[in-house]
Amino acid sequence: MVIQTETDMDWNARLQALESASRDLEPAANERKTISDQACAYAEAFLESLPACKTYVQDQGSSEGLDGRIAETPTRLKDLLAELGSSVDGPGINPASGGHLGYIPGGGLYPSAVGGFLAGISNRYSGVHFASPGAVRMEKALVRWMAELVGLPETAGGDLTSGGSTANLSAIVTARDACKLHCADIPQSCVYMTRQVHHCVHKALRIAGLGECQLRFVPMDRRFRMDDSVLEDMIQADQDRGLRPWMVVASAGTTDTGAVDPLLKIAAICAAKGLWLHVDAAYGGFFLLCEEGRRALAGLDKADSIVMDPHKGLFLPYGTGAVLVRDERLLAQAHHYQADYMQDARLGDSGFSPADLSAELSRPFRGLGLWLPLKLFGLAPYRAALAEKIWLARYFHERLSGMAGFVTGPFPDLSVLTFAYRPKQGDVEEANRLLLQAVLRDGRVFISSTRVHGQFTLRAAILHFRTHRAEVDHLLEVLGRAARSLSA
Ligand SMILES: *Cc1c(COP(=O)(O)O)cnc(C)c1O
């Protein structure tokens, strides 16, 4: 190999040329202002247009600007924002719209978006105390706040995750290690849940190497809640057979029907039988902030691990879930690692850092987008918004019950409802599909469908902070109109 020696002049010329080209990555103050002004103008136009916007827009096919070719030369921001507006912020479901009543709606609080912006600007690394003691303190304080909201003891800890699916994975891995499940035990180990458990729990079990556990589906009552009287017998029967019951996964607000399993009774059974109780409260957990929700969620404080999604019940933009574990050390045992290149960042008196409690090392500073709106608004409007969702669900249930041809599912535990249309004649599923199509064609509100006991069923999930009575009334109106035209 020939090592080329460069003269000082060569060094100067080469490095200067590269520096001058790479400096394009750092816009000057006036250029930054132009960028942020244009981006803010886009955001303002977007937000102002929401009340008149459709929540669902049919896709019109691919767009040229999103072909994946990245040029060597710059493109004007104006053109890029135009492309964003037409190609991305047009077709599909608009998650920022209060008309989003499908699946589980997310949120998009403005100060949270600003928090995300500021977190991106400073790029504070919230994984390790040594690197950003302030960011880590903020995230730990938020986890502490959530643990207190639930009523968990001082020993509790947790982590801000990317969402509910990763939070469930984190909890299940923690439960597996806390219960000392070894590979050879897995085929004899039993997990109890209802058929309404979110599919990400199955995914998490499989990723955690627990796919060969025996899954026991506990029957449900007429409101899709776990039948605790059967649960105890099922666990006993498995123990009698020499199997190893080790975990119950309860849901505090199922995605499909919004049902809350009887947590107090399930917790008592888990305590008596020595099982880990994991509660998936990704959708329902933050209803703890209002009195109506608190009553529905009684017993959540008895769980060994809990998942709740700030990007659902705290109305944040997507990207923030949370796992809470009654004993923080168990979460750490399942995730904590050391490495030589991390030797400067070892545990101090500050306790565990987020990276000790998570599968992630590098991570976005999620705490800022959670902290900013909570502090800026205070809790009162959150409490009101969550109570409003519960009352809107009850209102919808009552109004729809009075509409000809409609049958409603159970009275809502929280804010998800199921319902269907029963035509006087003809195919029931076909009629409900047509009804759903009519709602989507109107587009002002968006709902989705599911299957309940094998039957095609419509559902509405009321959780968006922008959903108020007008959106619910609009849904009732479109449903009524569509039903009348079907029966005509
Ligand atoms: C939404 C949801 C999940 C999944 O959470 P993501 O944040 O979408 O990953 C899990 N469980 C329940 C009950 C949910 O509603």
Side-chain angles (χ1 to χ4, degrees):
M1 195 165 94
V2 183
I3 297 172
Q4 209 167 334
T5 53
E6 311 218 3
T7 65
D8 279 354
M9 239 165 62
D10 292 336
W11 281 118
N12 282 344
R14 179 185 295 273
L15 291 177
Q16 252 170 32
L18 290 171
E19 176 174 331
S20 124
S22 72
R23 273 186 180 279
D24 284 356
L25 295 175
E26 179 74 289
N30 64 326
E31 292 165 320
R32 288 199 297 272
K33 185 164 182 332
T34 309
I35 293 173
S36 57
D37 284 353
Q38 283 184 37
C40 282
Y42 178 91
E44 277 310 309
F46 177 86
L47 290 172
E48 287 299 312
S49 76
L50 279 178
C53 244
K54 291 201 167 196
T55 303
Y56 181 72
V57 177
Q58 195 93 40
D59 189 19
Q60 301 298 330
S62 68
S63 142
E64 246 178 61
L66 301 180
D67 62 3
R69 269 178 303 173
I70 307 291
E72 291 296 326
T73 49
T75 313
R76 291 187 318 164
L77 182 59
K78 213 165 138 265
D79 297 337
L80 298 176
L81 291 173
E83 186 66 45
L84 178 67
S86 60
S87 303
V88 180
D89 289 336
I93 304 168
N94 183 349
S97 166
H100 186 1
L101 309 172
Y103 308 109
I104 301 286
L109 290 178
Y110 187 77
S112 183
V114 173
F117 172 74
L118 295 175
I121 293 285
S122 70
N123 201 20
R124 277 283 159 182
Y125 171 56
S126 61
V128 174
H129 181 91
F130 167 77
S132 188
V136 169
R137 279 186 197 114
M138 181 185 281
E139 293 203 345
K140 293 195 75 130
L142 289 163
V143 165
R144 182 82 249 131
W145 170 72
M146 283 186 243
E148 276 167 20
L149 176 65
V150 171
L152 293 176
E154 282 284 321
T155 54
D159 182 43
L160 298 180
T161 66
S162 61
S165 302
T166 47
N168 272 299
L169 176 61
S170 205
I172 283 168
V173 164
T174 302
R176 178 197 67 195
D177 289 5
C179 297
K180 306 206 162 32
L181 242 65
H182 300 294
C183 288
D185 308 324
I186 292 171
Q188 292 84 254
S189 300
C190 311
V191 183
Y192 304 81
M193 59 183 75
T194 72
R195 292 248 178 226
Q196 289 286 327
V197 83
H198 194 278
H199 72 269
C200 76
V201 170
H202 295 281
K203 198 197 261 187
L205 284 166
R206 188 156 58 85
I207 296 172
L210 300 168
E212 287 166 20
C213 275
Q214 311 231 4
L215 296 191
R216 296 282 187 262
F217 293 106
V218 186
M220 293 171 279
D221 67 11
R222 290 172 54 190
R223 294 173 66 175
F224 305 102
R225 302 187 283 204
M226 187 183 286
D227 187 341
D228 53 277
S229 63
V230 189
L231 172 66
E232 185 155 16
D233 294 343
M234 289 172 80
I235 294 173
Q236 189 59 51
D238 285 329
Q239 280 174 340
D240 291 347
R241 264 187 280 171
L243 297 175
R244 184 177 171 191
W246 71 284
M247 178 169 72
V248 175
V249 179
S251 306
T254 58
T255 307
D256 220 9
T257 65
V260 180
D261 290 331
L263 302 175
L264 276 170
K265 289 181 181 153
I266 295 170
I269 294 168
C270 287
K273 297 276 183 195
L275 272 70
W276 182 280
L277 173 57
H278 173 61
V279 182
D280 179 4
Y283 149 62
F286 286 105
F287 279 104
L288 281 171
L289 283 168
C290 68
E291 203 36 55
E292 295 83 347
R294 253 199 125 65
R295 271 198 296 276
L297 296 166
L300 189 56
D301 59 316
K302 305 285 188 286
D304 295 297
S305 55
I306 299 166
V307 164
M308 37 212 271
D309 261 356
H311 67 205
K312 290 179 179 166
L314 289 182
F315 318 125
L316 260 49
Y318 293 126
T320 307
V323 59
L324 301 173
V325 177
R326 172 172 294 276
D327 182 347
E328 185 187 48
R329 288 170 310 176
L330 299 176
L331 182 60
Q333 268 169 32
H335 293 96
H336 176 58
Y337 273 87
Q338 284 289 14
D340 290 338
Y341 45 80
M342 297 286 289
Q343 65 178 1
D344 305 330
R346 292 256 158 91
L347 293 180
D349 311 334
S350 49
F352 297 112
S353 283
D356 301 315
L357 305 169
S358 163
E360 292 180 319
L361 182 58
S362 300
R363 51 197 268 145
F365 178 18
R366 300 188 176 99
L368 190 52
L370 179 51
W371 180 82
L372 204 60
L374 282 170
K375 288 285 192 178
L376 193 65
F377 294 140
L379 283 180
Y382 289 90
R383 296 189 197 281
L386 288 160
E388 182 193 22
K389 305 315 152 209
I390 287 184
W391 285 102
L392 283 172
R394 293 174 182 177
Y395 167 77
F396 180 81
H397 191 266
E398 193 197 281
R399 288 295 153 102
L400 195 74
S401 310
M403 279 165 55
F406 284 94
V407 285
T408 50
F411 184 81
D413 281 346
L414 296 170
S415 68
V416 174
L417 307 118
T418 53
F419 57 96
Y421 180 63
R422 291 278 172 273
K424 287 213 184 67
Q425 68 235 5
D427 188 57
V428 178
E429 176 156 343
E430 177 64 11
N432 281 281
R433 283 186 186 282
L434 289 172
L435 221 61
L436 179 61
Q437 273 173 26
V439 175
L440 299 193
R441 220 175 312 111
D442 173 79
R444 178 67 197 100
V445 299
F446 174 84
I447 59 170
S448 53
S449 71
T450 183
R451 288 199 172 268
V452 174
H453 302 308
Q455 302 284 310
F456 187 90
T457 302
L458 301 172
R459 61 186 283 291
I462 302 177
L463 191 63
H464 203 289
F465 68 100
R466 291 192 179 105
T467 302
H468 305 292
R469 182 175 176 168
E471 283 74 21
V472 173
D473 280 339
H474 187 84
L475 175 59
L476 287 164
E477 198 185 302
V478 181
L479 288 172
R481 218 184 306 133
R484 280 192 299 279
S485 84
L486 269 182
S487 68

